[in-house]
Amino acid sequence: MNREEQEQRRKYWEANKRILVALLSIWFLVSYGFGIIGADWLNQFQLPGTQFPLGFWFAQQGSIYVFVVLIVAYVYLMDRLDRRFDVDEQ
Amino acid sequence: MDETAWTFIMVGLSFGVYIGIAIWSRAGSTSDFYVAGGGVHPVANGMATAADWMSAASFISMAGIISFIGYDGSVYLMGWTGGYVVLALLLAPYLRKFGKYTVPDFVGDRYYSKTARVVAVCCAIFVSFTYVAGQMRGVGVVFSRFLEVEIEYGVMIGMAIVFFYAVLGGMKGITYTQVAQYCILIFAFMVPAIFISILLTNQPIPQLGFGLNLGGEIGSQIANGESVSLLDKLNGLHEQLGFSAYTDGSKSTIDVFMITAALMFGTAGLPHVIVRFFTVPNVRDARISAGWALFFIAILYTAAPAIGAFARANLIHSVSGANYEKVEGKKSVPGWFKDWEKTGLLAWADKNNDGKIQYRKGTAFEGKPEFVGRRGEYGQRLISNAPTASRNELYVDRDIMVLANPEIADLPPWVIALVAAGALAAALSTAAGLLLVVSSAISHDLLKRTFWPSITEKGELIAARIAAAVAIVIAGYFGIYPPGFVAQVVAFAFGLAASSFFPALFLGIFTKRANREGVIAGMVTGIAFTAAYIIYFKFLGGTPDGWWFGISPEGIGTVGMALNFVVAFIVSLSTSEPPEDVQEMVEDIRVPRGAGDATADH
């Protein structure tokens, strides 16, 4: 591997880590943030259109839906990143 | 046709399918046996992972537990699904790129140490066995409850079935059986859930009905003319009876936080789940398949809390204050109450002799009901247990919430039979996945990679089959004679996995500097600390007053994990860095290109 390739690898890994940090921040926010730490406070509101207390909804429903979406987003973002840095599988 | 006949048909049909798949998918090589040849489609792998993951406990007990503890049950929901995000983003793609057969393989290679490999093998076997004993027990219980077969014979029938497809087909047989098992178990879980949702809220989708006003046949009776939401009504009922509000729970915030984290990182570190991602063709498929797995799991995990709330409202409404005996013009207990009393999952001690069931906070009597075989004044089955000071008179086993749902909703007998087949599918699929981890840990990691490197491919395959067979027999023995500690240990397997495996895997991928000395020291610290805390508070008489910062033993794995990271970091930095080739390996697993089939030698 020459120096340029090494530099590309490093950039790829940095970009990869940025994606992880962004997605895991959302992961933390919906579960630990909304579903646990802020649940009591959020319970004064209701999920629009339903009778769910909001914090309770995040803890028992919403966080799980967001988790699924996060993995889908991860697959999409990594596909794009792999192609951009030409490290995708052929 | 009656219920038992239907159950025989459903269970018989499902077993026929499993055997058929086993014959069709025999394993011809070690690669077939360990990772299904590495060619499983990501959607199929997603289903198999979901079935692997959802055990007898997820299927039978989880909705019931949530039903009784309300908001506090969120720790299981978030913990056991959020762990997949961690797994999908931080571990699965890189471990797939690494391209070997087992988790101890990675630990052994990345930390260039036989000691580390053997420690990982021991952890994998310990975690898997504590788990699998519970599954075999679950198989026996389902047989005894639905087919009136002795638990012992039930366990043996389960062993025979797993033996057939795990020994013959290895990972290949297990994978395709798990796909079939997922379909059966999710159908069996959702059909009663949909009917119950219609009965209580007039909304067929349980996840939506959960947040609506009461309505429908049973719901409007519970609402009693008011326009009130299911959850508000539940909170009101709980307040009346002295329970804490359903949507608030009673655990402290820090404890909920710590338990959720221990379950999440424990999930991400469990070998039988990780190994499933070694079976797909490439890194991209490993990512996709984690998404499918979580999607398939989420269907059950978002329906379970809805079922919990429906069942809770229905239970309180139909039982609390009801007369045991049928009295004209007065509220009396429903028919299913007496049916389940027969099974010992429900019992009533009429402490104040008024003939009415008084349901309050607290336990009604000591231990599980011991029926004396005589009937009381109102026809109830008398028990010999010592009553407690609590005013509560009712004992309800949590498993009833799922098992009795079809009866509560008055569904036809084939649905009840379906639930039996579904519960068996859940238990067998998890058992098979765990047994494979044990078998590959022994034949591959201990024999091939550590003590007998010259063993031939054919020899290794025979060793893997023998190890699987022996593991099934041991698991069956534990299922028939469950050691007392198993039930308690299973709950802690997650804490132990979080405090040992997760940091080793994470550091192995995300830092090049983490070395043998650091990670072994970290694992030992993490697991010793966690185990000591659990043993002190669960077995040596520690009381909740002594919990550090209010953290229960269930949640202490999170602290153990943090300690593991700190120790691994400090020790790694103060010892020499890993050899050049290991650092190159870390570089290599970080990029997807070049992931070949999983192989033992490259």
Side-chain angles (χ1 to χ4, degrees):
Chain A
M1 220 184 319
N2 59 35
R3 180 156 308 159
E4 197 185 328
E5 273 174 357
Q6 267 181 355
E7 184 57 23
Q8 280 293 315
R9 283 281 172 93
R10 200 187 56 78
K11 277 190 183 153
Y12 169 76
W13 187 242
E14 293 304 317
N16 183 348
K17 281 195 285 193
R18 275 198 298 277
I19 291 175
L20 294 181
V21 170
L23 294 177
L24 288 174
S25 307
I26 302 173
W27 163 83
F28 185 86
L29 188 71
V30 293
S31 51
Y32 297 94
F34 296 160
I36 298 175
I37 299 168
D40 282 341
W41 184 79
L42 282 174
N43 276 344
Q44 60 181 308
F45 309 107
Q46 282 182 341
L47 183 73
T50 73
Q51 311 283 328
F52 280 115
L54 198 54
F56 178 79
W57 181 79
F58 267 108
Q60 300 213 332
Q61 300 273 299
S63 57
I64 303 176
Y65 299 136
V66 176
F67 293 158
V68 176
V69 173
L70 284 177
I71 301 187
V72 173
Y74 173 69
V75 171
Y76 173 76
L77 291 172
M78 288 305 287
D79 263 1
R80 226 176 45 171
L81 188 72
D82 289 351
R83 277 197 304 272
R84 198 170 61 151
F85 281 89
D86 191 32
V87 292
D88 55 326
E89 291 148 310
Q90 289 134 334
Chain B
M1 226 175 349
D2 73 340
E3 210 183 290
T4 316
W6 269 114
T7 310
F8 270 111
I9 293 173
M10 289 282 182
V11 172
L13 275 179
S14 63
F15 280 17
V17 170
Y18 307 154
I19 292 173
I21 293 173
I23 294 170
W24 166 72
S25 62
R26 284 185 311 274
S29 65
T30 48
S31 166
D32 276 354
F33 196 90
Y34 295 139
V35 293
V40 179
H41 190 274
V43 179
N45 189 49
M47 281 195 193
T49 311
D52 202 346
W53 177 236
M54 293 190 286
S55 59
S58 288
F59 187 92
I60 302 174
S61 310
M62 195 178 65
I65 291 175
I66 296 167
S67 187
F68 282 87
I69 61 178
Y71 170 81
D72 289 344
S74 313
V75 297
Y76 303 112
L77 296 167
M78 286 188 285
W80 287 336
T81 54
Y84 273 85
V85 178
V86 178
L87 183 61
L89 270 56
L90 300 180
L91 304 180
Y94 308 107
L95 292 177
R96 176 62 194 85
K97 176 66 195 295
F98 170 68
K100 303 235 173 128
Y101 291 144
T102 66
V103 174
D105 241 355
F106 177 78
V107 175
D109 284 7
R110 170 61 182 84
Y111 298 112
Y112 44 98
S113 154
K114 277 192 179 171
T115 315
R117 185 190 300 270
V118 173
V119 168
V121 167
C122 295
C123 292
I125 292 178
F126 175 76
V127 171
S128 301
F129 263 126
T130 45
Y131 241 86
V132 82
Q135 304 309 316
M136 290 319 237
R137 187 76 188 166
V139 171
V141 170
V142 172
F143 266 104
S144 75
R145 205 167 291 161
F146 288 92
L147 294 170
E148 285 158 31
V149 176
E150 292 290 322
I151 288 194
E152 290 75 18
Y153 294 116
V155 172
M156 285 179 207
I157 297 169
M159 279 164 67
I161 293 288
V162 176
F163 189 87
F164 206 75
Y165 66 75
V167 174
L168 211 59
M171 186 56 121
K172 203 170 162 199
I174 288 172
T175 300
Y176 293 106
T177 334
Q178 281 174 337
V179 171
Q181 282 161 336
Y182 176 77
C183 298
I184 293 171
L185 85 85
I186 200 70
F187 190 65
F189 195 83
M190 293 309 288
V191 168
I194 289 167
F195 279 101
I196 298 259
S197 184
I198 295 173
L199 285 171
L200 267 92
T201 61
N202 238 340
Q203 158 62 253
I205 301 172
Q207 287 88 339
L208 299 179
F210 192 16
L212 293 178
N213 279 349
L214 286 161
E217 210 180 307
I218 300 179
S220 43
Q221 288 171 28
I222 300 175
N224 204 7
E226 278 176 278
S227 171
V228 60
S229 79
L230 168 75
L231 291 167
D232 281 343
K233 184 74 191 178
L234 259 180
N235 283 340
L237 288 169
H238 266 217
E239 200 182 332
Q240 262 175 31
L241 302 182
F243 297 97
S244 54
Y246 191 83
T247 55
D248 288 343
S250 56
K251 285 191 166 87
S252 70
T253 301
I254 181 166
D255 201 24
V256 171
F257 189 103
M258 289 296 176
I259 297 175
T260 306
L263 294 175
M264 276 195 194
F265 293 104
T267 298
L270 282 179
H272 74 290
V273 179
I274 295 177
V275 76
R276 288 238 47 100
F277 295 96
F278 295 178
T279 65
V280 294
N282 55 44
V283 173
R284 184 167 181 270
D285 283 343
R287 294 178 192 143
I288 294 174
S289 126
W292 280 110
L294 184 59
F295 171 76
F296 291 127
I297 292 168
I299 296 175
L300 191 145
Y301 271 59
T302 51
I307 292 182
F310 295 147
R312 183 74 182 157
N314 188 47
L315 175 82
I316 296 178
H317 166 74
S318 56
V319 168
S320 176
N323 282 291
Y324 186 86
E325 223 176 0
K326 264 211 164 19
V327 184
E328 206 51 53
K330 283 191 184 152
K331 182 174 154 189
S332 54
V333 298
W336 54 262
F337 188 95
K338 294 178 184 177
D339 287 343
W340 286 90
E341 203 184 3
K342 282 183 214 152
T343 63
L345 294 183
L346 204 80
W348 173 51
D350 193 10
K351 291 177 180 171
N352 56 3
N353 293 313
D354 64 351
K356 286 182 185 164
I357 285 124
Q358 183 164 267
Y359 185 37
R360 294 289 185 279
K361 193 182 175 175
T363 47
F365 45 75
E366 311 282 346
K368 293 194 180 261
E370 304 278 347
F371 295 100
V372 294
R374 278 178 294 115
R375 301 254 174 190
E377 195 180 339
Y378 306 97
Q380 81 272 30
R381 296 171 149 249
L382 292 176
I383 45 171
S384 61
N385 305 58
T388 58
S390 159
R391 285 163 65 215
N392 182 28
E393 300 179 343
L394 184 69
Y395 168 89
V396 196
D397 188 293
R398 291 162 174 187
D399 291 355
I400 284 187
M401 292 304 176
V402 167
L403 296 176
N405 257 342
E407 277 166 278
I408 294 171
D410 225 357
L411 300 179
W414 64 267
V415 179
I416 301 171
L418 193 63
V419 172
L424 285 172
L428 290 173
S429 56
T430 307
L434 292 162
L435 289 166
L436 192 92
V437 168
V438 174
S439 127
S440 59
I442 291 170
S443 63
H444 184 68
D445 295 307
L446 280 188
L447 287 182
K448 174 82 184 172
R449 300 301 304 275
T450 312
F451 296 116
W452 191 4
S454 63
I455 189 171
T456 60
E457 151 106 16
K458 216 172 154 195
E460 193 185 340
L461 190 58
I462 293 170
R465 287 199 159 115
I466 294 172
V470 173
I472 290 171
V473 173
I474 297 173
Y477 178 84
F478 282 141
I480 295 172
Y481 307 102
F485 65 88
V486 164
Q488 290 194 292
V489 174
V490 168
F492 303 117
F494 290 91
L496 296 174
S499 62
S500 59
F501 271 132
F502 182 76
L505 298 173
F506 177 84
L507 290 174
I509 297 161
F510 285 84
T511 67
K512 276 187 274 185
R513 191 64 183 78
N515 63 12
R516 178 175 60 196
E517 293 77 8
V519 163
I520 292 177
M523 284 211 276
V524 170
T525 314
I527 208 158
F529 168 79
T530 308
Y533 194 88
I534 291 170
I535 290 168
Y536 176 73
F537 284 106
K538 280 287 159 179
F539 301 103
L540 300 181
T543 58
D545 301 330
W547 290 353
W548 296 359
F549 309 105
I551 301 168
S552 63
E554 286 83 356
I556 201 67
T558 308
V559 181
M561 180 177 81
L563 278 178
N564 183 336
F565 271 119
V566 171
V567 171
F569 189 75
I570 294 171
V571 177
S572 289
L573 285 185
S574 46
T575 44
S576 57
E577 53 176 50
E580 196 63 28
D581 60 321
V582 169
Q583 298 200 33
E584 265 167 36
M585 181 190 115
V586 177
E587 283 283 341
D588 184 59
I589 60 173
R590 290 176 177 182
V591 290
R593 181 168 294 171
D597 293 341
T599 66
D601 36 29
H602 73 193

